[in-house]
Amino acid sequence: MVYLVISMLVVTVLGVAVVGVVAVPAHRGGRDLLTAKGEGVARSARRRAGTLGRPRARAH
């Protein structure tokens, strides 16, 4: 079980390192990280997440 947890941590760290090596320089270079469709999905998710904290009005 310990080996499984350690291996999952190693894989996660490697994944974060790869994203850091690829995405950070691209972002600093002024390139977009997401496509136009990806930007739309992220915008929609932020909008929906913002409405989660507000109570909805009930219709009687």
Side-chain angles (χ1 to χ4, degrees), residues 8-24:
M8 288 189 318
L9 288 173
V10 168
V11 168
T12 302
V13 168
L14 287 174
V16 168
V18 168
V19 168
V21 167
V22 174
V24 172

Side-chain angles (χ1 to χ4, degrees):
M1 186 68 173
V2 173
Y3 295 119
L4 178 65
V5 171
I6 291 172
S7 63
M8 288 189 318
L9 288 173
V10 168
V11 168
T12 302
V13 168
L14 287 174
V16 168
V18 168
V19 168
V21 167
V22 174
V24 172
H27 184 63
R28 287 185 181 162
R31 288 180 283 187
D32 292 332
L33 296 179
L34 298 175
T35 63
K37 182 179 179 182
E39 288 288 342
V41 169
R43 194 176 312 112
S44 174
R46 279 192 296 265
R47 191 174 23 227
R48 283 186 301 214
T51 61
L52 288 178
R54 295 184 214 133
R56 293 184 180 180
R58 290 187 177 186
H60 295 299

